[in-house]
């Protein structure tokens, strides 16, 4: 991804990542937190599947100004499904 002419502020990056996560098709981002420091985005919180975990990372990485994504999301099976508990991504 090309670097922007002017650096994108961390606040703008954080808000853009949150907005894109909120509007990503099929992704429940209600339990995802986002921080940004010098273009390095950190995702934390809980998602419901490995696919959601990967999708959240891809969405964040596609935002202009993001240099790196640290994915700290935990995958938790929905209650009533087979296998419960938290798994590291």
């Amino acid at each position: 991804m090309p670097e922007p002419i002017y650096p994108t502020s961390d606040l703008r990056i954080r808000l853009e990542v949150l907005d894109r996560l909120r509007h990503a098709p099929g992704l429940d981002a209600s339990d995802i937190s986002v921080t940004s420091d010098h273009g390095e985005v950190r995702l934390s919180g809980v998602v419901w599947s490995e696919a959601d975990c990967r999708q959240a990372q891809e969405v964040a990485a596609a935002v202009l100004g993001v240099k790196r994504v640290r994915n700290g999301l935990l995958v938790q099976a929905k209650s009533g499904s087979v296998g419960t508990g938290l798994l590291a991504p």
Side-chain angles (χ1 to χ4, degrees):
M1 173 183 305
E3 283 291 314
I5 295 173
Y6 298 101
T8 306
S9 75
D10 285 312
L11 176 60
R12 186 178 218 50
I13 290 170
R14 180 178 173 271
L15 293 175
E16 183 67 22
V17 170
L18 284 168
D19 186 58
R20 290 191 188 188
L21 287 171
R22 189 175 311 119
H23 293 98
L27 177 64
D28 178 2
S30 59
D31 291 323
I32 297 177
S33 297
V34 177
T35 59
S36 180
D37 184 30
H38 294 92
E40 181 174 289
V41 169
R42 176 152 179 91
L43 303 175
S44 58
V46 177
V47 292
W48 301 112
S49 70
E50 291 289 335
D52 288 348
C53 187
R54 284 188 301 277
Q55 183 181 9
Q57 183 166 340
E58 291 167 3
V59 166
V63 170
L64 185 66
V66 172
K67 297 175 183 171
R68 180 178 183 175
V69 177
R70 292 191 180 262
N71 191 340
L73 293 170
L74 298 174
V75 177
Q76 180 175 1
K78 289 186 180 183
S79 59
S81 60
V82 177
T84 57
L86 298 175
L87 304 171

